């Protein structure tokens, strides 16, 4: 076969730009790259006809277009879904973002004095107040927070970090605590066994080179049965007796007692950790806190100040958009502390929503879909989870729409919904396609009925 089989860039781009709404130069550039690959294949002896090359490029372009960041309706019932962007923002935070994003701001400017100002000053004080901590700051994510804490506290000769074997977790995305320690220049000293670590195990591991004891919250898995670990107060006493700090990576870090919102496991709060004797905590801003991707560091003022002076801090500092959203999220907690039911943090609202309300919404959606011969749709009980490395054993009672299509396979239906506009992601359970209402916002209900109707009706009778 010859290179003559390759389609013309212009012609293909003209035809594809009718169905794919990407900038034309991007479509042209994409086709060129695809054609280059085909050219190599043909020169290597592969055979293909023009029509199949065109089909293949069209498919690749559709895949590429679908990879552009876009809104997704989350029907999975997983509240903090890392693949679906973790925590959605509340209206107040989103409006603040819009205001700051479209104009100039006092990011590093002191308005009353007219001089250079302190970046994140407001946020740091608000965080410290909310957490009842001496000081606090924020960086790009919790992994970065942990790295900078370790770089500051464990370096040079004094770089040994004692961690219990039961806490050497993988925090997600393939990143593991031992590797994070290594990149930070710390030397890992493992103590205890997977299920049990005693105070004495920690005590025996202490040397003149011990920099700190690190506790890591087992946020994404659960150890049960024959287990034991020392109290935080005992560990804190041990660390302080030897003159080094006790640090905890609490991962998710619920800022309020989430047990009151839903029948779920207790998630440790940073407030309680600090009160119990931890010197420094770090946790994610976009897990149970329900804010933007960020990592919060809080605790002893001297330690936080030292961390902020590290040159590496500059490499992991938050930008103005994140700071805006985070400051709104923290204000929201401070505002609604006394009555969490009024909070504008979507993750917490979804967590606290009653199944009666979900049931009513499901009935409403079902009514809007009306009678269809293309599927059997019912309302079923389901189980939602927190996800995102929080409360691994928590099961939250929920309500789902359960769809049993007659004309097409479940895979085909779910693909049609995933590639629709807006995209809808559900899950399959017992040979049904399910959409859990707990993670779907009420303002998305109409899109559910419209999309289900249109996709089911697109199936030929
Ligand atoms: C999720 C998690 C992290 C990573 O947080 P990111 O904000 O995603 O970087 C670190 N430690 C623990 C224990 C976690 O659960």
């Amino acid at each position: 076969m010859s290179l003559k089989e390759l389609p013309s860039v212009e012609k293909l781009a003209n035809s594809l730009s009718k169905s794919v709404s990407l900038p034309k130069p991007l479509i042209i550039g994409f086709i060129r790259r695809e054609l280059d690959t085909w050219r190599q294949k043909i020169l290597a002896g592969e055979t293909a006809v023009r029509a199949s090359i065109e089909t293949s490029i069209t498919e690749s372009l559709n895949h590429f277009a679908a990879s552009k960041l876009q809104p997704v309706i989350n029907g999975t019932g997983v509240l903090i879904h890392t693949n679906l962007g973790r925590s959605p923002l509340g209206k107040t935070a989103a409006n603040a973002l819009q205001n700051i994003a479209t104009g100039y701001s006092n990011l590093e400017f002191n308005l009353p004095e007219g001089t250079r100002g302190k970046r994140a000053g407001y946020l740091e004080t608000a965080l410290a107040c909310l957490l009842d901590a001496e000081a606090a700051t924020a960086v790009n994510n919790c992994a970065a927070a942990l790295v900078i804490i370790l770089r500051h506290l464990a370096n040079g000769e004094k770089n040994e970090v004692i961690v219990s074997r039961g806490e050497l977790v993988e925090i997600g995305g393939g990143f593991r605590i031992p590797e994070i320690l290594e990149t930070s220049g710390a030397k890992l000293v493992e103590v205890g066994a997977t299920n049990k670590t005693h105070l004495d195990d920690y005590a025996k591991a202490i040397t003149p080179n011990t920099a700190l004891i690190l506790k890591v919250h087992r946020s994404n898995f659960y150890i049960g049965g024959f287990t034991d670990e020392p109290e935080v107060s005992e560990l804190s006493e041990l660390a302080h007796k030897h003159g080094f700090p006790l640090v905890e990576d609490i991962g998710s870090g619920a800022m309020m007692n989430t047990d009151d919102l839903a029948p779920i496991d207790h998630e440790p709060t940073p407030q309680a950790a600090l009160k119990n004797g931890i010197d420094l905590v770090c946790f994610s801003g976009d897990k149970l806190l329900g804010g933007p991707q960020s990592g919060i560091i809080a605790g002893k003022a001297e330690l936080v100040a030292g961390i902020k002076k590290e040159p590496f801090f500059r490499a992991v500092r938050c930008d103005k958009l994140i700071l805006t959203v985070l400051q709104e999220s923290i204000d929201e907690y401070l505002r609604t502390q006394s009555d969490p039911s009024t909070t504008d943090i979507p993750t917490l609202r979804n967590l606290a929503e009653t199944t009666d309300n979900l049931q009513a919404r499901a009935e409403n959606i079902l009514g809007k879909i009306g009678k269809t011969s293309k599927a059997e749709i019912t309302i079923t009980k389901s189980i939602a989870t927190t996800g995102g490395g929080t409360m691994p054993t928590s099961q939250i009672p929920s309500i789902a729409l359960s769809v049993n299509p007659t004309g097409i396979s479940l895979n085909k239906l779910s693909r049609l919904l995933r590639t629709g506009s807006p995209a809808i992601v559900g899950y399959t359970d017992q040979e049904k396609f399910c959409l859990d209402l707990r993670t779907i916002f009420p303002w998305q209900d109409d899109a559910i009925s419209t999309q289900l109707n249109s996709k089911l009706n697109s199936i030929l009778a």
Side-chain angles (χ1 to χ4, degrees), residues 82 86 140-146 169-172 177 180 215-220 249-252 267 282-287 293-296 388-390:
T82 299
R86 288 196 185 160
N140 281 336
N141 52 44
C142 184
L146 187 55
V169 307
E170 175 168 315
I171 60 174
I177 291 295
I180 291 189
K215 276 191 68 60
V216 182
H217 178 52
R218 287 187 281 265
S219 48
N220 51 10
D249 171 5
I250 38 181
S252 179
E267 184 72 12
C282 61
F283 54 95
S284 274
D286 58 348
K287 289 184 180 171
Q293 181 193 302
S294 50
I296 291 153
T390 54

Side-chain angles (χ1 to χ4, degrees), residues 128-160:
C129 287
L130 176 63
L131 298 173
D132 210 359
E134 284 179 19
T137 190
V139 292
N140 281 336
N141 52 44
C142 184
L146 187 55
V147 170
I148 195 157
I149 289 173
L150 291 168
R151 284 179 77 105
H152 178 59
L153 293 175
N155 52 50
E157 288 262 287
K158 213 172 155 70
N159 71 342
E160 294 178 8

Side-chain angles (χ1 to χ4, degrees), residues 1 3-8 11 48-55:
M1 159 177 170
L3 292 174
K4 290 210 188 84
E5 288 292 335
L6 291 176
S8 120
K11 261 198 201 152
V49 292
R50 180 171 299 174
S52 71
I53 295 176
E54 285 183 359
T55 309

